[in-house]
Amino acid sequence: MPDSTPTTPPRCEATGNVTPPVAEMALRVTRSPGAPPHTTVRCALAPHLTYEHEGVVRELADPSGHVWGTFGAGVPVWRVRVARPCPEPAGHLPCGLYEGHRGPCVPARSREADAG
């Protein structure tokens, strides 16, 4: 019997560390309440050829989005910004990335999968 479960597109899955100064920036970049910053982030993008990775540094409590961080292979998160959620669908689920992201949409994943 064939499996009818939809497949999830692959993700880059690179990881980056969030240093204490960057965690502080993630708290101060917005007045929106939310969770404390993660100590490690995973790239949320679909596989890509560039060395810049993007991951959620901090979950926000309101619908304004998340605090996203940019990092490189072996380089901790060096830039943070608040970005609204992508309004496009990723198959039958909402996209889990930010508005205007590069590459294809990918479905949102659980907070546990992104936490570090």
Side-chain angles (χ1 to χ4, degrees), residues 21-43:
V22 170
E24 184 67 26
M25 282 192 307
L27 289 169
R28 293 178 183 259
V29 73
T30 180
R31 292 178 191 229
S32 296
H38 299 296
T39 56
T40 304
V41 295
R42 290 187 181 141
C43 185

Side-chain angles (χ1 to χ4, degrees), residues 35-102:
H38 299 296
T39 56
T40 304
V41 295
R42 290 187 181 141
C43 185
L45 301 173
H48 52 96
L49 298 176
T50 64
Y51 291 107
E52 276 194 1
H53 302 285
E54 304 278 343
V56 173
V57 174
R58 184 170 174 240
E59 306 278 345
L60 298 178
D62 61 26
S64 64
H66 297 88
V67 177
W68 286 83
T70 303
F71 61 98
V75 179
V77 174
W78 72 76
R79 176 177 59 203
V80 295
R81 69 186 180 292
V82 177
R84 294 191 175 282
C86 176
E88 301 298 321
H92 66 286
L93 296 171
C95 180
L97 300 176
Y98 54 89
E99 190 171 50
H101 63 84
R102 61 192 156 127

